[in-house]
Amino acid sequence: MDDKRYILSLIREGEHQQQDFKYRVSDACKLAKSVSAFANTDGGRLLIGVRDDGNLSGVRSEEEIYMMQSSIKFDTYHIDGRTIVIVTVPPSTHRPICAIDEEGRKRAYIRINDENIVASPIHLALWRESQKPQGSMMTYDDTIRHLLDVMKGLQTLNQIVRQSRLPRPKVITLLARLIRFSIVKWEYTNQQFLFSLS
């Protein structure tokens, strides 16, 4: 398959969990956010020089290519006089992978469907949990029983904290542990994470 057919086949897939289009890279922060999101989720591909509607715009300047070169490995394709860059990001085994945002803060991002969003405190706790040995056990104590008792239907983190009357950091740690052991499940709906018993 030649370069043009390959790129057009990727564009036909549209943006999704493992693919994002960028019209241009105006600064390294935006590129780093996408790289962080892919690395912290399932990995993915960033097509630079492609508009959101799938039209080829091409990478406009050597400066943009230099910015990408300093960030991560990439492949360059030349189609109809335009340069398209594909950045392939593998999923990381050492999460979180952070990026510096526009205000200079270090943040981790995740990819959900076709969006890059800031990782929640639960993600950070889950990544800490995942560093623990696989054989580690979970003990049911009174605090966990109490937390499970207050969980009814789908609830936000804030609702669980209010109803349990437990300190927020404690609830975050316990929810991450319960998710790890498949006792609690979570989903992303209407731009918020909701938790329920499995």
Side-chain angles (χ1 to χ4, degrees):
M1 184 182 294
D2 65 22
D3 285 1
K4 183 173 183 177
R5 279 172 44 206
Y6 173 63
I7 295 296
L8 293 178
S9 74
L10 295 180
I11 290 171
R12 275 193 296 278
E13 291 178 18
E15 293 182 305
H16 53 72
Q17 182 92 7
Q18 292 184 283
Q19 182 164 282
D20 195 8
F21 299 159
K22 288 277 184 253
Y23 162 58
R24 60 190 307 264
V25 177
S26 53
D27 62 51
C29 285
K30 289 183 180 175
L31 178 62
K33 182 194 280 193
S34 292
V35 169
S36 166
F38 282 134
N40 288 328
T41 314
D42 302 320
R45 213 175 15 240
L46 186 58
L47 277 68
I48 302 169
V50 177
R51 295 179 188 274
D52 286 345
D53 62 8
N55 285 319
L56 301 177
S57 59
V59 175
R60 300 242 180 248
S61 69
E62 290 299 316
E63 186 179 322
E64 282 189 62
I65 292 175
Y66 173 76
M67 236 184 287
M68 287 176 280
Q69 233 173 356
S70 63
S71 301
I72 197 164
K73 179 184 174 296
F74 65 91
D75 296 306
T76 305
Y77 297 85
H78 301 285
I79 299 158
D80 299 337
R82 294 183 178 94
T83 300
I84 306 299
V85 175
I86 297 182
V87 178
T88 303
V89 182
S92 175
T93 54
H94 300 289
R95 298 170 186 167
I97 300 299
C98 295
I100 305 299
D101 70 11
E102 291 79 5
E103 284 84 44
R105 293 172 300 193
K106 192 173 164 185
R107 291 192 181 272
Y109 295 86
I110 59 164
R111 182 92 175 157
I112 295 181
N113 299 322
D114 61 351
E115 286 183 79
N116 299 329
I117 64 169
V118 175
S120 72
I122 303 288
H123 285 97
L124 300 176
L126 262 173
W127 292 328
R128 282 192 300 274
E129 276 288 315
S130 70
Q131 301 303 317
K132 295 181 180 176
Q134 272 296 342
S136 59
M137 301 289 291
M138 180 167 169
T139 53
Y140 279 88
D141 59 18
D142 290 340
T143 307
I144 289 178
R145 281 190 199 90
H146 171 64
L147 185 65
L148 294 174
D149 284 345
V150 302
M151 291 185 67
K152 306 281 187 249
L154 289 170
Q155 295 174 299
T156 65
L157 173 60
N158 288 340
Q159 289 170 328
I160 295 169
V161 168
R162 271 196 309 275
Q163 290 174 14
S164 69
R165 293 194 173 104
L166 293 169
R168 185 181 176 86
K170 181 76 170 170
V171 172
I172 289 168
T173 300
L174 292 176
L175 282 175
R177 195 166 299 150
L178 291 164
I179 290 167
R180 181 181 179 210
F181 286 95
S182 302
I183 297 164
V184 166
K185 59 185 178 182
W186 60 335
E187 61 187 66
Y188 186 69
T189 307
N190 298 323
Q191 300 184 321
Q192 61 184 352
F193 289 99
L194 299 173
F195 303 85
S196 63
L197 299 177
S198 293

